[in-house]
Amino acid sequence: MAFSADELRVLRRALAVALHPAPLQDEDVRDALRLADSVDEAVREAGRLRAFLLDDLARYREALPGSLSGYLELLQDALAAGYDPAADDLAALRALRRNPAAAALLARCQILAERSVRARLARVSQATATPPTAAPRARLLALPGGRAAADEPKPRPPVPTERPVPKPSEVFPPRRRPVPPPPPEERVAG
């Protein structure tokens, strides 16, 4: 993740205030909140990109052996980004191990998969041994010396941007059946 010069300035001020608490101006607080929102959006975008790449990897894996070169390239990129190879990846690479690139990638994936399993087992054994002490990341509501979140105006309820969907009975009113004319015996000559 890369920060712009303005974002680094805001980050530097926020870190300085965290180390040496001092009152903040409203603009500094708004800048810090804007930076926090930007970082959160970047994290969400990275998650969306990762999901897309993993879906793409699965599509290439399903199209094997015809997509061998594309699959190997995508898998190498995913591994470089921290992806732990799944059982499907290992099975696909085992089926393709006649290819030298696939065989080399299989050896690498087996090592990574083994490390991943060992790490998961270690986390599980730690979790059962001691209760977790770290709380999940909380949203930054106020900076020391800055304006508290309670002082901020309450957000307005969202204004509906779309019209409500009408009911079928509103769009197509019920048809009224025509009233048949009275029988000739009941007609009155006038």
Side-chain angles (χ1 to χ4, degrees), residues 133-145:
T133 57
R137 178 177 171 244
R139 178 93 174 119
L140 175 65
L141 296 178
L143 295 174

Side-chain angles (χ1 to χ4, degrees), residues 41-129:
E41 177 59 31
V43 168
R44 286 190 298 271
E45 182 62 30
R48 286 190 293 267
L49 178 62
R50 180 178 172 83
F52 172 78
L53 291 176
L54 293 180
D55 287 345
D56 208 21
L57 182 65
R59 281 191 295 276
Y60 273 80
R61 185 175 50 239
E62 294 297 320
L64 286 173
S67 62
L68 176 64
S69 62
Y71 173 71
L72 294 178
E73 183 178 329
L74 281 175
L75 183 57
Q76 287 175 348
D77 291 345
L79 293 174
Y83 171 69
D84 288 329
D88 292 341
D89 295 313
L90 294 172
L93 290 172
R94 282 187 194 107
L96 300 168
R97 66 178 145 211
R98 289 186 183 149
N99 181 307
L105 200 52
L106 173 62
R108 180 178 172 201
C109 285
Q110 286 174 330
I111 292 169
L112 291 173
E114 184 177 333
R115 284 184 194 160
S116 174
V117 168
R118 289 181 191 273
R120 275 186 267 151
L121 288 174
R123 282 193 302 264
V124 167
S125 65
Q126 278 183 340
T128 57

